[in-house]
Amino acid sequence: SYTELAIIKEGNYPEELKLSVLRDYYESGSSLNSTAKKWGLSSNSLIRLWKDRYPIDSKSLSLSHKK
């Protein structure tokens, strides 16, 4: 499935890219699909996964890893 594929490929992206994608997603107000396409991601499921794994503080837009 797409989600399983995204989870397998999720580890191939550096944290700096994940933060940039999430920052762009929140600041632009774009959809998951359009953000994934803009950044050339294999699936919008990656962004969903990163949103859960790396909550962003809206004030600083900094990456904080969930433990």
Side-chain angles (χ1 to χ4, degrees):
S1 79
Y2 244 75
T3 305
E4 290 167 351
L5 196 60
I7 290 169
I8 291 167
K9 293 186 176 189
E10 191 266 334
N12 297 333
Y13 297 95
E15 286 196 351
E16 295 81 19
L17 177 76
K18 294 174 186 178
L19 176 58
S20 295
V21 170
L22 288 172
R23 183 179 288 142
D24 182 47
Y25 170 72
Y26 287 118
E27 288 179 347
S28 70
S30 297
S31 69
L32 289 171
N33 280 338
S34 64
T35 303
K37 284 180 186 175
K38 177 179 176 181
W39 286 87
L41 301 176
S42 59
S43 168
N44 70 16
S45 297
L46 287 169
I47 300 172
R48 270 189 246 125
L49 196 69
W50 298 343
K51 282 173 48 182
D52 290 341
R53 188 165 293 159
Y54 301 99
I56 289 187
D57 177 339
S58 61
K59 289 179 187 161
S60 64
L61 287 174
S62 64
L63 195 65
S64 64
H65 193 279
K66 264 190 188 174
K67 295 186 180 186

